[in-house]
Amino acid sequence: GFKPSVPVVFCGLYPADNADYERLRESLAKLRLNDSSFEYEHETSAALGLGFRCGFLGLLHLEIIQERLEREFDLDLVTTAPSVIYRVHLRHSEALELHNPADLPDPVQIDHIEEPWIRATIMVPDDYLGGVLGLCNDRRGEQVTLTYVGNRAMAIYRMPLNEVVFDFYDRLKSVSRGYASFDYELDGYETGDLVKVTILVNAEPVDSLAFMAHRDRSESRGRLLCERLKEL
């Protein structure tokens, strides 16, 4: 049977100049006509103004849409960090889907949070296997199988999608010098020790900079973001 495609990665798209908002809306509508797997809805940010919350099939899809908007429609865009859909289970048994970290309910009301996991297949030459396995383990990956075909290894890992949407693909290409190939499929939801990290600028929280992270990594990731903000 036919099933409509379901977005798994979300990010906010905002025009660098607010005067371009209408042009961005028209451009998204035109792209949607020939790519039904791409979704968008209106969103307002206190820091970035008017924009759209967009859903994509994956990171490559996100990059393609962003590139087309900038090249074909001559738009200068600001994108928020990619995030995934979390399932937030509240204490009175109600569950809701969280698309935007800024919308996380009061932690007192939350019973537990589930995050999407993927089953990733990585093909890599033997010479770079150690670095790839180290990267997967660093991203909370769980090894399923490791097999060899000639001088190439095929590693199958279960990993949280949240750990992949930031810079996993770039790091993978770096440690393998471009020789590794990566493919993944969704593999259900699991409960995780997740927290929302809020960034304050001049003592004011900026909703578009908020993100979800595993508790163990929240501080290091927040410090890294603050270092980049300081440079900017």
Side-chain angles (χ1 to χ4, degrees):
F2 171 78
K3 286 185 180 178
S5 54
V6 180
V8 294
V9 175
F10 287 81
C11 87
L13 291 180
Y14 295 85
D17 181 356
N18 279 332
D20 289 337
Y21 171 75
E22 279 300 320
R23 202 148 60 88
L24 174 59
R25 186 172 62 79
E26 291 169 7
S27 304
L28 289 172
K30 287 177 183 175
L31 278 185
R32 180 83 171 85
L33 288 173
N34 58 23
D35 185 355
S36 59
S37 59
F38 159 64
E39 294 184 0
Y40 67 95
E41 61 182 31
H42 173 74
E43 182 180 60
T44 305
S45 163
L48 299 174
L50 297 172
F52 295 91
R53 187 80 181 163
C54 304
F56 306 92
L57 298 179
L59 288 178
L60 178 61
H61 192 206
L62 186 160
E63 289 176 19
I64 290 170
I65 293 291
Q66 184 181 346
E67 193 75 15
R68 287 189 65 184
L69 287 168
E70 291 176 347
R71 285 189 184 184
E72 295 178 25
F73 300 98
D74 196 27
L75 288 163
D76 190 7
L77 298 174
V78 176
T79 58
T80 61
S83 66
V84 299
I85 305 172
Y86 298 93
R87 286 181 184 160
V88 182
H89 293 261
L90 304 178
R91 293 195 184 279
H92 47 81
S93 76
E94 182 189 344
L96 54 90
E97 288 192 341
L98 181 73
H99 294 241
N100 188 343
D103 298 332
L104 186 72
D106 187 336
V108 177
Q109 302 174 15
I110 298 172
D111 183 60
H112 64 278
I113 303 175
E114 292 181 337
E115 62 180 334
W117 279 59
I118 61 169
R119 188 180 180 90
T121 303
I122 300 169
M123 300 283 290
V124 61
D126 277 356
D127 299 348
Y128 309 108
L129 181 62
V132 169
L133 296 184
L135 174 62
C136 291
N137 290 328
D138 182 54
R139 298 304 175 92
R140 298 192 283 139
E142 300 171 356
Q143 190 178 112
V144 178
T145 59
L146 178 60
T147 53
Y148 289 87
V149 181
N151 65 343
R152 291 179 68 82
M154 183 176 79
I156 297 179
Y157 266 82
R158 291 190 72 252
M159 304 170 65
L161 183 57
N162 180 31
E163 299 288 346
V164 175
V165 299
F166 278 92
D167 61 349
F168 178 83
Y169 192 67
D170 292 338
R171 290 284 307 280
L172 178 67
K173 288 298 183 184
S174 177
V175 298
S176 67
R177 297 192 181 175
Y179 285 107
S181 65
F182 173 73
D183 186 33
Y184 72 86
E185 59 185 25
L186 285 175
D187 196 32
Y189 277 74
E190 288 189 13
T191 302
D193 187 11
L194 302 165
V195 293
K196 181 176 87 167
V197 180
T198 304
I199 303 295
L200 309 183
V201 178
N202 196 22
E204 290 291 327
V206 181
D207 56 352
S208 52
L209 294 178
F211 62 92
M212 300 291 293
H214 192 269
R215 191 179 299 275
D216 294 344
R217 298 164 187 274
S218 57
E219 184 178 343
S220 59
R221 202 171 266 180
R223 287 183 182 277
L224 184 64
L225 180 53
C226 287
E227 285 173 14
R228 290 180 183 171
L229 285 170
K230 181 169 178 266
E231 290 172 10
L232 290 168

